[in-house]
Structures are given as structure tokens and as C-alpha cells.
Amino acid sequence: MNEIVCSKEEIKEICQRIGKELTNKFKDNAIPPLFIGVLKGSLPFMMDLIKEVNCDIELDFVQYSSYIKTKSSGVVVLKKDIEKDITNRDVVVIEDIIDTGRTLDKFHNYLLSRSPKSITTVVLLDKKSKREVETPVDYVGKEIEDKFVVGYGLDYQEYLRNIDHVFVIDEETLQRIDKESK
Ligand code: IMP
Ligand code: MG
């Protein structure tokens, strides 16, 4: 049996709650905030979250890679850069999960070097006990235990991103995907 760590209903509540907070934060902006999704895992969360934000926003994307199978490799490599100029703009970083903190820390420092007006970081899930690098996170959907989770953007070997909730992958599913993804 797969153990659910964040259900469809919980995800909806999280998007509504954080969406409201972001609306209040940016509703009087003269220049819309730039929402930057960290590909590919943040996509489902970002798409649901932005529908709960009731003010003008713009979108951009960045991609890093660090995970090999179920373990962080520790080396974070930039695969796709943002396209917009963020000088003096409010940016909102959207990420699926924070684990060691290396990915968000690297991105945060990168953004800082480009002089934005502000950086707001939003994560759906936080594996707080795994943190190795301290980096600011402003909004957390849910804190979870140290287990490898998949679904709703989160993958195992690129599989399972399209499931509408987050769950702990079981041994049987792991083995099936290992076989199929060779
Ligand atoms: P960090 O750099 O260690 O904080 O890891 C962040 C990245 O690792 C996330 O963007 C995810 O892509 C990936 N990741 C961390 N934990 C999990 C997990 O439990 N399932 C799937 N991907 C994960
Ligand atoms: Mg990711």
C-alpha cells in the first residue's frame, strides 16, 4: 500500500491558503511579481497555486538537477536559466520540495546576484530534518518526515509526476519502474 503524505484535498487547502497570502502581499504592486517555477517538479503545484492568486503576475522557469534515483547527489547543476530581467522586481520562487536545501540555496544566491527587489520562496513540502544548508523559506505547504515521496510533480526516474497527490513510493512500484526505465 502507498502511504499518502499530502492528499488532493490538502493540496487544495494549501494552494488556497498560500494563494491568499501572496495576493495580499502583491495586490498593490505597480509591477507584477515574477513567479519562477523550479522545473520540473514544481509544475503541478505552481499551476494550482497561481489560480488562487488574485492579482497580476508573470511566469518564468529555471531548472536544476541534483537527484540520482532516490538520493540527492549533492551537486546542483543549472540546466535552464530564467529568461526575464529581475533587476528591481519582486520574485516568487515556487518549488515542490526542500530537502538538503542545496537547490534553493544555490538559486537564492544566484537571484541575489541579479539585484531583485525581493525574493519570496514557496515550497509545497519541507523535509526539515534533512536540512544541510540554511536558506530562507517564506511559505511551506506541509512539513513531512524524511521519506522519499512521489506524485504531484515529484518523480522517481521521471515517473509518477502526473499523480494528483503525494505519496511514499512502495518497494513493488520502485522495482517496476527500475525495470521499465532501463
Ligand atoms: P535539495 O537540493 O536537497 O533541497 O533537494 C531539492 C530537490 O530534490 C527537489 O527539487 C526535488 O526535485 C528533489 N527531491 C528531494 N526530495 C525528494 C523526494 O522525496 N522525492 C522526489 N524528489 C525529491
Ligand atoms: Mg525539483
Side-chain angles (χ1 to χ4, degrees), residues 39 41 95-96:
L39 293 170
E95 177 62 309
D96 50 4

Side-chain angles (χ1 to χ4, degrees), residues 25-37:
K25 190 161 182 175
F26 298 113
K27 65 180 183 328
D28 299 322
N29 267 40
I31 302 165
L34 183 67
F35 278 49
I36 305 175

